[in-house]
Amino acid sequence: MAHKKIGNRQEAVVDIVKPINFTGGLEFSSLTYTVTKKQELEGKWISREVDLLNMITGYAPKGCITAVMGPSGAGKSTLLDGLAGRIASGSLKGRVSLDGREMNPSLIKRTSAYIMQDDRLFPTLTVYETLMFAADFRLGPISRADKKQRVEKLIEQLGLSTSRNTYIGDEGTRGVSGGERRRVSIGVDIIHGPSLLFLDEPTSGLDSTSAHNVIEKVHQIARSGSTVILTIHQPSSRILVLLDHLIILARGQLMFQGSPKDVTLHLSRIGRKVPIGENPIEFLIDVIQEYDQSEIGVEALAEFARTGMKPPLLSNDENTSISTVASTPPLPRRGHHQNGRPGDGANGGKRLHLQTSTHESNGFDHSLRSPYVNTSRSWSASHSGIGQALRFTPSRQKNDKKIQIPMSSSPGYYTFSSEIIPGTPTPHSSDYTVNENDYLTPYVPLNTQHFGPKFANSFFSETWILMRRNFKNIRRTPELFLSRLMVLTVMGVMMATMFVHPKQNLQGITNRLSFFIFTVCLFFFSSNDAVPAFIQERFIFVRETSHNSYRASSYTIAGLVTYLPFLALQAGVYAAIVWKPLALRGPFYYFLLVLYMSLLSTNSFVVFVSSVVPNYILGYAAVIAFTALFFLFCGYFLNSHDIPTYWRWMNKISTMTYSYEGLLMNQYQTSDPFGTNPGGEIVNGTTILNSLNISIDESKKWENVLVMLGWAVLYRIFFYIVLRFFSKNQRS
């Protein structure tokens, strides 16, 4: 530290080594998120509003890793979700800007990627295939060669070359390691080079080496020009070296913001000395928890982070002397002036001057009376103690800057004057990003064209890519459809051998009716395995669509088209087995079409139910319950005219009704005899249908087919609505 004489003052010049040059990044101000929780008080449940985020103002520099830390329940994931646009519109209050442009959740999703804590990937795809499909979704209509080149480069950057052709795997299939899977998840979301990258606990569940490798790759991504924000719990010393910027929260309030190197200084300013050999960040979190468990609470620390008002010491705190803590004075609120120059709160002020007055302001600590400032370490003004007193200006110079610390000639008090360190904005009040002077980055009017189209591909391109991926997954998990095909084949053989050549009497008619209703129920139950299959895939859908990889409509259509040939194969095999042994009549193609429509409507219904329920247990329960209801009201136990009036609507919404009646019409819409009654009268097909109150009109057959098709389309529309509007993975 050097000294120089200016008038009757002596100034200390402190060199600032490589300050963070804030030339862009994410800025946020006054983020507040309030929810209503029910609590039991004296035996009564009352509703109380709780702030999960309380006026959080800060920034995340471009090209740096910003780590959000804090005790359990501090609001780390909530802040990450708020910045990533994953909190429902209207619930989160505040302002977010990226590189000087005010953002909304829709624009944030276009420019960012969000890596969830759980790796949601298709286990049957290899690392290369997973990244190639991500490239297809996110890179748009560029050449295939360019996509492959991008993927190959990304695999090399992520250190995945040795596992390039290894399946992702899952609990039942051996695949890549946990660290490799996490890096693949990161690669999927950064393939398009997002300017913003959010990671929720990227080291969760990983060993120390794997965790370090993951953060090392994230560090390289940040240095390439992205703004990286992650939540992390108890990082190792090796990981701490890779973190550039810290945001520490507690009870939804900001406790500290700045460089990890400034944590020790921050602690010293509140009168706490870091024990030798202890991690300063962990010690700060311990201090926060001590305040949280005391009568003072964390609000005092939050106030200190905002205004510099020193919090009261806890009763069990040691009386640290001036020699053990940095003699850094508390910082006043905005608007203080010095030497006639306006402070940060003044209009047009381009310099900020901080001083302690000769009379004590209530709430500020002036116990540190030293004629000099401890300069055992150079400090960056990015530390959070500056709080709302500072607003930095963008740097246009690359040279290292100096802080001038004027020292008063008075032995009892000193004046702290600081030139604004270029390049590192520090949060203050709610007008943080307002154009306060010529140097502040102004808000740029929203221009969605600057961020490109919402989706990289057209609807048809997305549908084709999704179909290719679906067919690849089906080919590698043949048991999904082979199991259904085997069940229908076996049951078809059993039906053909049990009811072979029905007799021309009433018993033969009864046998055929039993066969038809059993077939309808069999086809309904054969689609139940779609419940766990889709619920497992739904998490991947939510992750991929949360940042506009593809549309919900293209996903719906691709899923439907993928199923069509397999449903046709199942219906065709069963129809071919039972047609001749049961001496069925009528057009075979109509019999096959009814079975096919039955499978299609049932599959659509099951998929819709799977999109609504939270897990496969409830999904199975719901499907079984509706199967029983549809079976009860399909017309087999009671025909439609005998069902009580108040329950007839169930007969209309039962998809089994139309397939059951369609099969009977195809068999019995004829005057051919099928047996005799006990009185010796001939029973023909028309008589059978009349006794069941089923139409003998030929056109009614095709009406039933159209109704089944309509139900299939309607259930798919319901499925799309749930995906589009109720599967956004957002907080309410």
Side-chain angles (χ1 to χ4, degrees), residues 10 60 97 134-135 321 384 580 654:
Q10 184 181 14
S97 66
S321 64
S384 72
K580 287 198 172 185
S654 172

Side-chain angles (χ1 to χ4, degrees), residues 336-509:
H336 284 230
H337 298 200
Q338 179 183 4
N339 299 332
R341 293 181 178 179
D344 185 49
N347 294 331
K350 299 179 183 179
R351 292 173 57 91
L352 180 66
H353 304 277
L354 305 175
Q355 68 174 2
T356 58
S357 60
T358 55
H359 63 279
E360 292 186 358
S361 299
N362 184 27
F364 282 81
D365 180 84
H366 297 278
S367 60
L368 303 179
R369 303 172 184 269
S370 174
Y372 60 90
V373 177
N374 184 355
T375 57
S376 59
R377 52 178 286 145
S378 62
W379 65 268
S380 167
S382 62
H383 66 78
S384 72
I386 295 177
Q388 81 181 52
L390 291 183
R391 174 61 168 98
F392 289 92
T393 59
S395 174
R396 292 181 173 85
Q397 302 179 16
K398 297 182 180 180
N399 298 330
D400 294 341
K401 301 298 179 182
K402 299 177 182 293
I403 294 179
Q404 293 186 344
I405 308 178
M407 297 189 177
S408 173
S409 57
S410 170
Y413 299 93
Y414 59 88
T415 302
F416 182 84
S417 177
S418 171
E419 181 179 356
I420 299 172
I421 301 176
T424 309
T426 301
H428 49 78
S429 64
S430 60
D431 58 349
Y432 169 49
T433 49
V434 175
N435 187 12
E436 299 179 39
N437 55 49
D438 296 338
Y439 287 88
L440 300 189
T441 303
Y443 270 121
V444 178
L446 290 179
N447 179 10
T448 56
Q449 293 181 353
H450 172 78
F451 301 101
K454 185 174 183 180
F455 298 98
N457 299 289
S458 66
F459 169 80
F460 295 104
S461 297
E462 290 175 356
T463 303
W464 173 244
I465 296 169
L466 287 165
M467 287 174 57
R468 287 196 294 111
R469 188 174 69 175
N470 290 342
F471 281 117
K472 189 178 288 288
N473 283 324
I474 291 171
R475 189 174 73 248
R476 292 180 181 170
T477 54
E479 62 273 9
L480 182 64
F481 283 98
L482 284 179
S483 59
R484 301 184 192 180
L485 187 60
M486 289 301 298
V487 168
L488 291 176
T489 301
V490 172
M491 298 308 299
V493 171
M494 293 182 66
M495 292 296 99
T497 53
M498 282 184 63
F499 299 105
V500 60
H501 302 304
K503 297 179 180 180
Q504 294 292 321
N505 54 26
L506 293 182
Q507 185 60 47
I509 297 173

Side-chain angles (χ1 to χ4, degrees), residues 89-163:
S89 178
S91 299
L92 180 70
K93 299 179 180 178
R95 179 183 291 173
V96 179
S97 66
L98 178 64
D99 296 336
R101 288 180 170 84
E102 186 177 358
M103 305 293 286
N104 57 40
S106 177
L107 293 178
I108 283 286
K109 290 180 180 180
R110 295 193 198 184
T111 59
S112 67
Y114 191 106
I115 288 87
M116 300 179 182
Q117 186 171 348
D118 298 326
D119 300 316
R120 303 296 185 180
L121 304 169
F122 285 102
T124 58
L125 299 180
T126 65
V127 170
Y128 174 78
E129 290 169 342
T130 301
L131 294 176
M132 273 303 299
F133 278 118
D136 288 335
F137 287 128
R138 303 309 297 267
L139 297 184
I142 66 174
S143 67
R144 191 73 175 171
D146 290 339
K147 291 179 181 179
K148 289 182 178 180
Q149 183 179 3
R150 178 78 67 91
V151 169
E152 294 290 357
K153 183 178 180 180
L154 184 61
I155 287 176
E156 183 179 354
Q157 290 176 339
L158 294 174
L160 296 170
S161 299
T162 57
S163 56

